[in-house]
Amino acid sequence: DHYENSHSVLGRKYFGHLMLGYRRNYNLAHQAGGHASAAGMRLSEYDCIAEWELRDEEAFGEFKRIFADKEISRIFLDDEEHFLDSQSTRLVICDTQDTGLPTDPPDASDRLG
């Protein structure tokens, strides 16, 4: 609740002009209180993965410049104390590759096997 109603609001206020998208992906298994595996895969221990889709590399540079302002970074760090374990957070910078989805389901001749 705090993330959605406080922290993400701050994110949009200070960095929204740099973003093409800002999503919070909440781990349903974690919310249900379990960490069971699905199809033999180990589930993530994280309760949320946030995605910032920035316009370009220059936007990331601007993000870092804005966050380097001591007043702005203090606003975020103070807010994070209400809901975030900062020692457990990780930043991953990605190069996204989208394979897209087929517009029509494959016919029987396209199936493997």
Side-chain angles (χ1 to χ4, degrees), residues 10-78:
L10 291 173
R12 288 189 306 268
K13 175 181 176 180
Y14 288 97
F15 304 112
H17 65 288
L18 303 172
M19 297 181 179
L20 297 174
Y22 178 31
R23 290 170 291 285
R24 276 88 46 223
N25 303 280
Y26 293 99
N27 183 339
L28 296 176
H30 189 274
Q31 288 180 354
H35 296 284
S37 66
M41 293 181 280
R42 196 170 138 237
L43 297 178
S44 171
E45 297 168 6
Y46 291 101
D47 60 354
C48 181
I49 296 174
E51 295 178 73
W52 312 334
E53 184 180 356
L54 301 177
R55 287 192 322 257
D56 50 29
E57 210 169 308
E58 289 78 27
F60 186 57
E62 179 66 5
F63 166 83
K64 292 188 291 186
R65 187 194 67 72
I66 293 169
F67 197 77
D69 179 291
K70 289 181 184 193
E71 222 172 278
I72 293 173
S73 63
R74 179 52 41 205
I75 290 169
F76 279 89
L77 295 173
D78 286 349

